[in-house]
Amino acid sequence: MEALRSGDPRRVGGHRLLGRLGAGGMGLVYLGRSPGGMPVAVKVVHPHLVEDPDFRARFRREVGAARAVSGAFTAPVVDADPEAALPWLATAYLPGVPLDRAVPLPVPAVLALGAGLAEALVSIHRAGVVHRDLKPSNVILALDGPRVIDFGIAHAADAAVVTRAGATVGSPGFIAPEQARGAPAGPAADVFSLGAVLVFAATGAGPYGQGPPHVLIYRAVHERPRLDGVTDLALRAVVEACLEPDPSRRPSPDELLRGLAPHVPPSTDLHGVGWLPAGLGERIAQAGTDIPEPPPTGIETAGAPGRRRFLVVGGAAAAVALGTGGVAALVRVLREPAAAPAAQPPATSPAASAPPPMRDGKVLWKRPSGDEYLVSSPVVAGGQVFVGSEKGNLLAFGARTGEPRWTYRAARRIVTGPAAAAGLVYALSQDGVLHAVDARTGRLKWQRAVGNTQADPIVAGGLVYCGGDALNALDAAGGSVRWRGTGAGRTPAAAGGAVYVPGEKKLVAYDTSTGRARWTYPSPGGVQDAAAANGLVCFADFQGEKVHAVDARTGRRRWTFDIGETATSRPVITEQAVYAADYGGKVSALDPATGTMRWQAQLEGQIQDNPVVAGGTLYVPSGIYSDGGVYAVDAATGRKLWRFQADEGVESSPAVAGGIVYTGCKDGYLYALDARGGSGTATG
């Protein structure tokens, strides 16, 4: 638990606050005591949700529905005020251990857990509420049995997210296929999630494996669940029924209860810890035994909670709202030593096997974007660095000094990276409009509606390529349409008189002059962002498990490399190597001719955005959720040279020019780093 900050309230609705428990997409959560002395979790809604004129009405309806939920395996709402300046709610505070920190469980415990969760869903659905975010962290193993948390209020927050961004709501890896497609989620979606939770409880992994959100969403829509680890026949029959792709074929929670009853001994008592392994029962008993006393203060009036940064997922994952659950019977989990990191294979290079101490990155300057997080990737041109913002601003700074030059305002947020050429900067706002802005003055030159897409615009040979349902090849100077091709689901690449466009299950090469298709390369596993150089086109498939190298002239496969993890970024192609990064933090250098591995380096943190190469150094963004940063890695040997580390995540690809590395960070700042490394502190 974190201490209260100066801007935090000391009381909310008569509940005295003791400290911060955390934050989610809906708001800040505090540990408090009710007027009668009961420990409660108090969630205060984030201000940006209140800006939605319909949010308060939805919140009010969902509070009423959540109050109606009652059951042995759910958690009650204690108090709420939908009419407050910042709406809030208080729930029971449940000491215990989240399921995601208690796996794997033995089969009898998983079957008993399934019965308890099915009974919880009966109560939730009877009240007219659909959970929509049932996942292991929302199942608490408490002293009085398993409890389902975060139900009901999720609808109000989720609807606001959908209104703002067209988002799919839920947690990738545990949501039903219809939910992953953005369709309405009914009670059957909760049953699917229950099955996924039981797979996780038994095996320690979800039914779609591991990977970044957009890969898990793809698997939910296009693949059958992976159940090889579920070997018990009775349990497998239960989860297979729950995980039916067709919602109408899934059992109801009542039917699940009847099906599980024969496999749960009558003597099993879920209201306790005897049904769990002894060691886990001891952890549950110890959790939450040291709730602090209220901090002394002379001011007892409720202040407005300070604003805070919240988790955002870019790329395809920008369509997923994580952590929007509402009725949070928050848990204080006994702190334990972190598990030792999994052993990684040694790098093949002698230099990488015994590297000298890695240096710190040196910050030359940092400048605020005006937002709470910055996920747009910067671009450098003409002595300036340009970056988009969540508020819909395109910002220009002096590349050497960070001096603000101008701000251009678009109607909607800009989260893709801008492109720049010939004195113009091209930025795509989330309403599907491409803006061409004078790089010197920040004034609009032209704009054109091209359709909503998550792909960055690219500019090459006097044309700008961008678009959603159709790829638009636009005249870079005036915005007129030269030709159109099939839609670009991800960022294309241009080289050698062709533009290579990622489709859902194919890569298409178009002639840049005529727009005629030169060749099509089928990829049943999907196509992520493409890179093209030196006669190669490279991409990771959308399942992220293979990197493909295609002959740029003929469209024939040169080689594929099984990266062994989920590849999440665009490969980097040089004459010496093809560099591929994966979600587990691994960077692989591959021979451009054969795809054989030359070296491999393990970094800390997840890699989801694109590395860049400059001057023999590979600059890799890592850590998309917290403790993010940029690594500088020797491109020839894989030796880690220096690392810039931030407290928040980095979901922005770096840009390099003039000996400076530029990167956005989820603390809302644009950073300029010395490409040589060193040590130093930020200015400005």
Side-chain angles (χ1 to χ4, degrees):
M1 184 180 68
E2 183 183 343
L4 293 174
R5 301 180 186 178
S6 59
D8 289 331
R10 295 313 189 254
R11 285 186 183 273
V12 170
H15 304 282
R16 193 172 188 183
L17 304 187
L18 310 180
R20 284 188 174 203
L21 287 173
M26 184 175 162
L28 285 165
V29 187
Y30 302 93
L31 174 63
R33 286 191 184 276
S34 72
M38 181 176 72
V40 291
V42 182
K43 179 169 282 190
V44 180
V45 168
H46 194 275
H48 81 266
L49 291 175
V50 183
E51 294 170 5
D52 182 338
D54 297 325
F55 171 78
R56 198 179 296 272
R58 288 192 297 268
F59 187 91
R60 189 185 304 114
R61 289 195 300 269
E62 297 297 346
V63 166
R67 287 185 190 276
V69 174
S70 62
F73 302 111
T74 60
V77 175
V78 175
D79 197 3
D81 187 357
E83 310 305 328
L86 292 182
W88 59 269
L89 64 128
T91 67
Y93 178 73
L94 299 179
V97 176
L99 180 61
D100 60 343
R101 301 191 187 184
V103 295
L105 296 176
V107 169
V110 177
L111 291 167
L113 175 66
L117 297 183
E119 187 172 330
L121 288 185
V122 170
S123 298
I124 293 170
H125 294 168
R126 185 182 293 131
V129 175
V130 180
H131 192 296
R132 298 205 298 174
D133 197 21
L134 185 61
K135 57 185 176 181
S137 61
N138 281 342
V139 176
I140 305 305
L141 304 179
L143 281 172
D144 57 352
R147 297 291 188 106
V148 173
I149 64 171
D150 274 11
F151 53 86
I153 308 303
H155 283 224
D158 293 348
V161 172
V162 171
T163 299
R164 289 171 176 272
T168 298
V169 175
S171 295
F174 296 94
I175 55 177
E178 67 270 20
Q179 200 172 349
R181 288 190 294 264
D190 284 349
V191 172
F192 186 97
S193 297
L194 187 154
V197 167
L198 295 183
V199 173
F200 183 90
T203 67
Y208 298 110
Q210 296 179 336
H214 72 276
V215 171
L216 297 180
I217 290 172
Y218 180 90
R219 291 174 182 168
V221 174
H222 297 284
E223 294 185 13
R224 295 285 299 185
R226 304 172 181 184
L227 303 179
D228 292 346
V230 183
T231 57
D232 181 82
L233 296 180
L235 178 59
R236 189 179 180 107
V238 169
V239 298
E240 283 180 338
C242 292
L243 297 175
E244 272 287 341
D246 182 352
S248 67
R249 294 173 60 88
R250 297 173 203 151
S252 69
D254 281 315
E255 290 170 336
L256 274 178
L257 273 175
R258 291 194 295 271
L260 283 164
H263 306 290
V264 180
S267 59
T268 301
D269 183 4
L270 289 183
H271 290 275
V273 295
W275 60 286
L276 294 168
L280 178 56
E282 292 173 2
R283 289 170 56 198
I284 294 170
Q286 294 177 55
T289 58
D290 55 344
I291 297 174
E293 290 300 316
T297 176
I299 303 175
E300 296 296 337
T301 58
R307 289 180 62 87
R308 176 186 170 93
R309 295 175 294 276
F310 288 84
L311 173 67
V312 175
V313 182
V320 185
L322 299 179
T324 53
V327 182
L330 269 264
V331 180
R332 187 181 193 284
V333 181
L334 180 65
R335 292 186 177 270
E336 299 175 323
Q344 299 295 336
T348 58
S349 156
S353 64
M358 185 170 49
R359 304 191 301 272
D360 293 330
K362 181 178 180 180
V363 180
L364 301 176
W365 53 259
K366 68 175 185 177
R367 294 292 180 265
S369 66
D371 279 329
E372 291 181 291
Y373 39 74
L374 184 61
V375 299
S376 173
S377 298
V379 65
V380 187
Q384 296 185 106
V385 56
F386 309 97
V387 70
S389 83
E390 290 278 333
K391 289 184 176 178
N393 294 326
L394 177 64
L395 308 168
F397 301 92
R400 281 286 167 192
T401 65
E403 174 190 2
R405 296 288 177 82
W406 49 257
T407 299
Y408 169 80
R409 175 74 174 173
R412 297 289 298 276
R413 59 206 292 250
I414 300 173
V415 294
T416 56
L424 291 180
V425 186
Y426 306 92
L428 184 65
S429 54
Q430 207 165 44
D431 55 0
V433 175
L434 182 70
H435 307 257
V437 179
D438 188 292
R440 185 176 59 85
T441 65
R443 294 177 180 171
L444 180 68
K445 287 292 187 178
W446 56 263
Q447 63 182 20
R448 177 171 290 277
V450 295
N452 193 15
T453 179
Q454 299 156 10
D456 297 340
I458 64 169
V459 57
L463 295 178
V464 183
Y465 301 97
C466 60
D469 294 335
L471 176 73
N472 295 273
L474 308 177
D475 178 75
S480 60
V481 178
R482 293 284 186 87
W483 52 265
R484 285 191 172 96
T486 57
R490 306 289 291 182
T491 301
V499 58
Y500 306 94
V501 182
E504 183 178 354
K505 294 189 177 183
K506 62 184 178 181
L507 180 74
V508 183
Y510 291 98
D511 186 282
T512 56
S513 299
T514 65
R516 293 178 181 173
R518 291 183 174 180
W519 50 257
T520 297
Y521 177 83
S523 177
V527 183
Q528 297 196 55
D529 292 355
N534 303 325
L536 281 183
V537 186
C538 294
F539 65 90
D541 61 42
F542 215 90
Q543 296 182 45
E545 296 167 349
K546 293 185 183 298
V547 176
H548 300 248
V550 180
D551 187 291
R553 185 178 61 85
T554 65
R556 294 176 180 172
R557 183 179 74 88
R558 289 275 194 90
W559 49 261
T560 56
F561 174 74
D562 189 344
I563 201 165
E565 183 91 35
T566 303
T568 49
S569 61
R570 180 172 57 232
V572 179
I573 304 172
T574 69
E575 291 183 357
Q576 291 73 36
V578 173
Y579 303 95
D582 64 45
Y583 192 70
K586 191 166 68 271
V587 180
S588 303
L590 312 175
D591 186 292
T594 64
T596 56
M597 188 173 66
R598 295 212 175 139
W599 57 255
Q600 213 168 62
Q602 180 66 48
L603 311 183
E604 294 181 8
Q606 307 91 342
I607 302 172
Q608 184 162 310
D609 281 273
N610 305 320
V612 297
V613 168
T617 301
L618 184 69
Y619 300 96
V620 186
S622 71
I624 63 173
Y625 297 126
S626 63
D627 297 326
V630 175
Y631 277 92
V633 178
D634 186 292
T637 66
R639 181 168 65 90
K640 290 173 275 191
L641 304 175
W642 56 261
R643 184 191 185 193
F644 160 71
Q645 188 168 6
D647 291 335
E648 300 295 333
V650 169
E651 200 171 338
S652 168
S653 299
V656 185
I660 299 177
V661 182
Y662 304 91
T663 186
C665 183
K666 285 185 179 177
D667 62 5
Y669 282 85
L670 176 68
Y671 287 83
L673 313 173
D674 189 327
R676 300 166 298 179
S679 61
T681 57
T683 61

